[in-house]
Amino acid sequence: MSRTRSLFIGPRLRRLRRELGQTQAQMAEELGVSASYIALIERNQRPLTADMLLRLAETYRVDLADFAGDGGEQLSGRLDEVFLDPLLSGLDVGAAEREDLALGNPGMAEAIIRLHTAYREGQLALADKAGGDQGHNPLDETRAFLTARQNFFPVLDDRAEKLARETGGDLGAYLLSRHGYEVRRLPGDIMHGAVRRLDLHRRELALDDGLDGAGTNFQIALQLAYLDLGDALDAALADSQFTEETSRKIARRALANYAAGAMLMPYGDFYREAERNGYDIEALGRHFGTSFEQTTHRLTTLQKPSAKGVPFFFIRIDAAGNVSKRFDGGGFPFARHGGSCPLWSLHDTFRRPREILTEILELPGGERYLSIARTVTAGGGAWGAPRVTRAIALGCDIREASRLVYTEGLDLAAAPATPIGVTCRLCQRADCTARAEPPLGRQLLADDYRRLVAPFGFSDG
């Protein structure tokens, strides 16, 4: 029997016994074993056998899958991610030691992961201050919260997948049978600007009838997340360090949206389809009945150690270049303040609506990324109904790009790349015709005898 399947889960058994208010002797008597055997299991000196697992399930009505878990594999994988941090690179902590910790003392392993997450949040906060942060912003705090956790919340994925199975694929019928709320479609003028409203008096979930099928399903899933997964949302926020309640509420809303997406696109099924289809966003949307934007959001969350997808970054802008959503995954160094580079084809999508534009980007330091950009539309649904068009881009490090259908037949090593900068103030390219501001740390040169192609002339050092 392999080590990971032997179920050395002493801390979990100890926690169960303490929750039941029992001594080792009392538990041993109810299970028909010796107290010393219970003590050995709790100290991970004996594995939990299949027979003992069945006795526990029958005696204490515990869920076998929840209690046995994954043998520490997921926790061990999360520890591996922590020890990839350069801060810990000098420590001689091998894979076997990390696995021992995850299997033998999951509470301590979780503590290390939480401490590292808090450290990353602190680093992001310092970066904001160094970049000239002009004050507290709840949205920035939420972005830092998501980024520090790589936009991955396994507790929400697990619970949402179970809930999806319970609904049987009919969210509206489940909402009625489980909670007594009937879904009702109402015109926009009656909804008074809302797309979803839970009416406690009439026992109905009112939805704007301008929503399409994907939008309707998402709003029902979102309401179910609030009704059925509130404790999981709070658990995902348990180690957060927000400076004010507004930030926490915004983060909770973001997690509810995460859970709704996980309900419509369960992790296991979605990961398998993504790998099979080469991360084809439109094909995945057809398969799961989700919109382009919903699908791209879900693609940024595939960070489960045992089934890890391509690490993606994500950004959404309006026609003026204002950033309304951003996820700093995939190693892309988004500017903490300001917009993105105008040379990026993300901005060209407004001239070619709903057409997917792919592009290889190259930063001044030589880092290369694949970008997949397209416009998306919100609102509308009826004549005269207001709508807004935005552009979104999903991207990844060029080293991961061969996994995507968008690079089929393309020689990634030889393919031309668009030279872009993170932002004008941080880009040192002197010959950029699209430059809007001079770079930091360079002296501007006034020249009465020449007019350069670039709008600013500046010194070499």
Side-chain angles (χ1 to χ4, degrees):
M1 184 177 291
S2 71
R3 177 188 179 92
T4 56
R5 303 310 303 164
S6 295
L7 296 182
F8 288 87
I9 52 176
R12 267 176 276 183
L13 181 62
R14 185 186 307 115
R15 186 162 53 248
L16 173 64
R17 178 175 60 78
R18 289 175 176 173
E19 288 173 355
L20 295 169
Q22 292 186 341
T23 64
Q24 290 179 343
Q26 289 171 328
M27 175 172 275
E29 183 179 355
E30 292 190 357
L31 295 175
V33 297
S34 68
S36 61
Y37 184 50
I38 295 294
L40 289 171
I41 293 176
E42 289 189 359
R43 292 199 298 268
N44 276 342
Q45 293 176 345
R46 290 288 188 278
L48 189 70
T49 63
D51 178 62
M52 273 292 292
L53 187 58
L54 289 173
R55 291 191 200 185
L56 282 167
E58 293 171 357
T59 305
Y60 299 116
R61 298 290 188 267
V62 298
D63 187 296
L64 289 177
D66 287 345
F67 190 77
D70 59 7
E73 291 175 3
Q74 180 166 298
L75 195 58
S76 180
R78 291 169 66 198
L79 272 179
D80 290 343
E81 295 285 340
V82 168
F83 280 90
L84 287 175
D85 193 306
L87 179 72
L88 306 176
S89 60
L91 300 178
D92 185 17
V93 182
E97 291 172 285
R98 297 194 294 271
E99 185 181 6
D100 283 342
L101 180 60
L103 290 168
N105 203 326
M108 187 65 72
E110 184 65 35
I112 291 173
I113 292 168
R114 289 191 183 189
L115 286 171
H116 181 259
T117 300
Y119 159 75
R120 292 186 63 193
E121 282 189 311
Q123 293 297 102
L124 290 168
L126 286 173
D128 274 342
K129 290 180 180 179
D133 190 12
Q134 298 301 310
H136 171 72
N137 186 331
L139 291 177
D140 284 342
E141 275 203 317
T142 299
R143 286 171 181 163
F145 169 78
L146 297 174
T147 298
R149 291 153 185 80
Q150 296 182 294
N151 201 26
F152 173 55
F153 299 89
V155 63
L156 295 182
D157 281 310
D158 293 343
R159 289 286 300 280
E161 190 162 355
K162 289 180 181 178
L163 183 55
R165 289 197 298 267
E166 291 175 17
T167 67
D170 192 334
L171 302 181
Y174 177 86
L175 181 67
L176 180 60
S177 63
R178 176 72 174 83
H179 297 285
Y181 290 101
E182 185 174 4
V183 176
R184 186 179 180 191
R185 307 293 295 272
L186 295 174
D189 57 344
I190 295 178
M191 292 295 290
H192 300 294
V195 295
R196 184 191 83 255
R197 185 180 66 238
L198 190 67
D199 192 323
L200 301 178
H201 177 68
R202 293 186 174 86
R203 304 297 295 176
E204 64 184 25
L205 177 66
L207 298 177
D208 189 323
D209 64 4
L211 289 170
D212 59 13
T216 297
N217 288 335
F218 187 84
Q219 290 302 324
I220 299 174
L222 183 56
Q223 190 61 66
L224 286 174
Y226 283 122
L227 291 171
D228 287 355
L229 303 180
D231 59 331
L233 297 177
D234 292 335
L237 286 166
D239 64 340
S240 59
Q241 298 180 351
F242 298 116
T243 59
E244 63 177 66
E245 185 62 20
T246 299
S247 301
R248 188 181 185 280
K249 288 180 178 178
I250 292 174
R252 195 175 192 274
R253 185 177 68 179
L255 293 180
N257 280 271
Y258 181 107
M263 208 181 305
L264 298 174
M265 297 165 276
Y267 194 106
D269 292 342
F270 189 76
Y271 169 76
R272 286 187 290 272
E273 285 299 315
E275 286 286 315
R276 187 176 70 85
N277 285 284
Y279 293 81
D280 187 322
I281 302 169
E282 292 169 306
L284 287 168
R286 285 194 300 272
H287 183 88
F288 290 95
T290 49
S291 71
F292 191 88
E293 184 169 354
Q294 290 166 4
T295 307
T296 54
H297 269 292
R298 187 58 171 149
L299 284 171
T300 68
T301 70
L302 298 182
Q303 297 300 306
K304 189 174 183 179
S306 60
K308 194 166 187 177
V310 171
F312 285 109
F313 61 83
F314 173 92
I315 187 172
R316 187 181 73 185
I317 64 170
D318 62 19
N322 299 306
V323 178
S324 53
K325 279 188 181 179
R326 185 183 70 223
F327 170 60
D328 311 354
F332 190 82
F334 282 117
R336 306 297 294 173
H337 306 277
S340 58
C341 179
L343 298 178
W344 190 352
S345 63
L346 168 67
H347 302 275
D348 295 332
T349 57
F350 291 102
R351 294 194 293 269
R352 301 162 68 176
R354 302 189 72 80
E355 178 183 348
I356 291 180
L357 304 183
T358 62
E359 181 180 33
I360 296 176
L361 309 173
E362 183 172 320
L363 296 178
E367 305 94 329
R368 289 159 65 95
Y369 301 87
L370 177 71
S371 164
I372 306 152
R374 205 199 82 168
T375 57
V376 294
T377 302
W383 176 256
R387 70 179 65 219
V388 58
T389 298
R390 301 183 179 95
I392 62 176
L394 188 74
C396 67
D397 191 291
I398 199 68
R399 292 170 293 186
E400 300 279 357
S402 60
R403 298 170 64 180
L404 277 58
V405 67
Y406 304 101
T407 62
E408 285 185 358
L410 186 64
D411 184 350
L412 294 173
T418 301
I420 71 166
V422 175
T423 183
C424 286
R425 298 289 278 170
L426 300 177
C427 179
Q428 301 295 327
R429 289 192 172 100
D431 57 351
C432 178
T433 59
R435 179 175 291 282
E437 295 180 291
L440 293 170
R442 303 288 286 274
Q443 181 182 357
L444 289 178
L445 299 179
D447 194 333
D448 294 341
Y449 303 98
R450 290 185 305 165
R451 172 61 170 88
L452 301 176
V453 174
F456 297 100
F458 44 84
S459 64
D460 292 335

